[in-house]
Amino acid sequence: MQDDAILFGLFGTGGFARPVMPLVRHSLSMALGEKAGADARIAFVDRDAAALSLNGHPVMAEAQFLKAPAGRTFFNVAIASAGLRRRIAAACQANGAQPLHIQAPSAIIYAENEIAEGAVICANTMITCNTRIGRFFHLNIFSYVEHDCVIGDFVTFAPGVRCNGNVHIGDNAFIGAGAILRDGTRDKPLVIGAGAVVGMGAVVTRSVAPGETVVGNPARPLRTKGVKGAE
């Protein structure tokens, strides 16, 4: 690779990374200019790079990507695990790679929002107004974030999440496909604690404690059956 060439690496090769990849060149063009986006070298990045290519793009090993020259190297992480996203982002930035905001042309983002670095905003999504969103947020297809929400770092919205107004979500939370988060109020927001998991299709009407998993309609904490014979 030439020293002045732009290299973009999308970490992940799974069911989220592959649909995100078609958004990359458009996002590079928006961030760096049309020619830079057109001329960039774009690759999937995987820890072991067992395959040579995927969906027409080369697959690089993580160690190889991290050795690329700093200054013209960009990345994002299309992996649902908040812990992996955090580790990869730290490693890339420590080696001089810059996070790229990825956004589908059909996404709608209104005014007066604060969105930190590394977001992935997929097709047919919406963020209305006066939201604060942390680092490396995933907003999957057909999801929305309404007004006055505060979302932490490395939060994941699966497809079809409906996050209504005045909801506060802590770092590393995962909101499952089709979940509905009831609106709070300015004085009493609905709170989803750090590291919490909201199950697929859950309807959340009450705040969720940090680290808790809730399921159902209305959403309640997931109770696992005890092991037979256990005290």
Side-chain angles (χ1 to χ4, degrees), residues 175-228:
I175 315 299
I180 301 173
L181 309 183
R182 177 189 64 80
D183 54 312
T185 66
R186 188 177 297 274
D187 295 331
K188 190 177 180 181
L190 181 76
V191 177
I192 309 296
V197 176
V198 175
M200 180 184 294
V203 178
V204 180
T205 59
R206 297 180 179 180
S207 292
V208 178
E212 191 168 56
T213 297
V214 297
V215 297
N217 179 10
R220 300 182 186 279
L222 179 64
R223 304 299 184 192
T224 58
K225 294 182 179 180
V227 178
K228 186 177 182 180

Side-chain angles (χ1 to χ4, degrees), residues 150-162:
V150 178
I151 297 175
D153 296 338
F154 299 94
V155 171
T156 301
F157 279 20
V161 171
R162 287 173 275 182

Side-chain angles (χ1 to χ4, degrees), residues 6-18:
I6 291 172
L7 170 64
F8 174 84
L10 182 65
F11 281 76
T13 55
F16 185 55
R18 283 174 281 130

